[in-house]
Amino acid sequence: MFEKVNSKVVKIDVARAGGVVARTGAMLFYTGDVRFMPHQEPGAAQVGGLGGLTRMAGRMMQGEHERTMLAQGYGEVHYGFAGLDVHAVELAPGMTLRAEASRLLANTAGLQSSVVSVASSSSGGGRGVMGALRGAATGALTGQGMFTTQLSGQGAAVLLGHGGVFELQVGGPVTVVVDPQAFVGSYGNVQTELKTAMSWRDAVGKGSGEAMQLHCHGQGVVFVQASEEKL
């Protein structure tokens, strides 16, 4: 549904898409009769059963909350953001796309959206409020967020990345290991686990930048940007 104009810009027919949700400031220009209105992200009020304190602390530490706008009507809208590279993803029924809010440019409005917590499964910080807060602290240092936006259903979404976004197939006995700051998102049944690589850091020396690694396994695709720069 999203058509790439170039490496930085996508366009979409709003009526055909059934509406488009995009981060505020992403609309570049449009033609036709298109209306824009603020959009509340579904699931933002309840994150994986965690308390309000945990949600607030996690989002403050991660800076992951992104305001969004809903486009409806008849016409074609062009989207881009801060000169970042764009990568369109088509979602099939029953499949799931996960990405941090800062990595999402736009998605078709018909997709089911929720916010899930990945702290207890990826950070090793334990369960409960304290475990989630430790996960938030780890995420703030590594670039791997505590909260992840999950999209499911049939539709399309656009991811953002520095230097382009490429796809890595995940499956079989081999684990894909990604720098957390280069990780953009995942598609399919992909589990991620944030691990400390102390031996690698010690071997390379202080300041190697590879002390934290994101292990990806399961079946699906991992999206990686060609840079370690955070959005």
Side-chain angles (χ1 to χ4, degrees):
M1 294 181 181
F2 288 97
E3 180 182 345
K4 288 185 69 172
V5 178
N6 56 34
S7 63
K8 314 290 185 181
V9 178
V10 295
K11 65 179 180 179
I12 188 168
D13 185 316
V14 174
R16 182 183 174 196
V20 177
V21 176
R23 62 187 296 162
T24 300
M27 192 279 290
L28 301 177
F29 66 92
Y30 69 91
T31 57
D33 181 16
V34 182
R35 304 177 304 279
F36 298 88
M37 62 195 72
H39 176 263
Q40 174 65 42
E41 181 181 15
Q46 181 176 356
V47 183
L50 298 177
L53 175 63
T54 303
R55 293 195 301 271
M56 180 176 66
R59 290 214 180 267
M60 288 177 64
M61 297 177 73
Q62 293 297 327
E64 288 174 351
H65 177 66
E66 300 292 346
R67 291 185 299 167
T68 54
M69 299 290 290
L70 173 64
Q72 293 179 311
Y74 299 90
E76 192 172 68
V77 182
H78 287 66
Y79 290 104
F81 189 77
L84 295 169
D85 290 278
V86 295
H87 187 81
V89 181
E90 296 287 334
L91 277 74
M95 300 297 285
T96 298
L97 172 68
R98 288 187 175 184
E100 294 182 40
S102 62
R103 304 286 188 177
L104 278 172
L105 174 68
N107 61 266
T108 52
L111 290 175
Q112 290 77 53
S113 175
S114 60
V115 181
V116 296
S117 170
V118 297
S120 62
S121 62
S122 67
S123 68
R127 297 183 180 276
V129 173
M130 293 308 299
L133 290 175
R134 284 193 292 269
T138 301
L141 293 173
T142 63
Q144 171 65 12
M146 176 184 173
F147 297 111
T148 296
T149 299
Q150 178 173 288
L151 299 174
S152 59
Q154 187 170 8
V158 180
L159 302 174
L160 293 168
H162 288 281
V165 177
F166 57 96
E167 301 181 0
L168 297 175
Q169 293 293 324
V170 177
V174 179
T175 299
V176 176
V177 182
V178 179
D179 185 308
Q181 296 186 49
F183 179 80
V184 173
S186 64
Y187 178 71
N189 185 25
V190 177
Q191 295 82 46
T192 58
E193 183 179 6
L194 192 62
K195 293 187 176 182
T196 303
M198 294 299 293
S199 59
W200 174 256
R201 182 179 65 181
D202 294 340
V204 175
K206 184 178 179 181
S208 66
E210 310 297 337
M212 303 302 296
Q213 298 177 349
L214 192 65
H215 289 233
C216 308
H217 51 89
Q219 295 288 333
V221 174
V222 169
F223 302 101
V224 181
Q225 68 173 6
S227 169
E228 294 182 359
E229 188 173 351
K230 295 178 66 176
L231 299 188

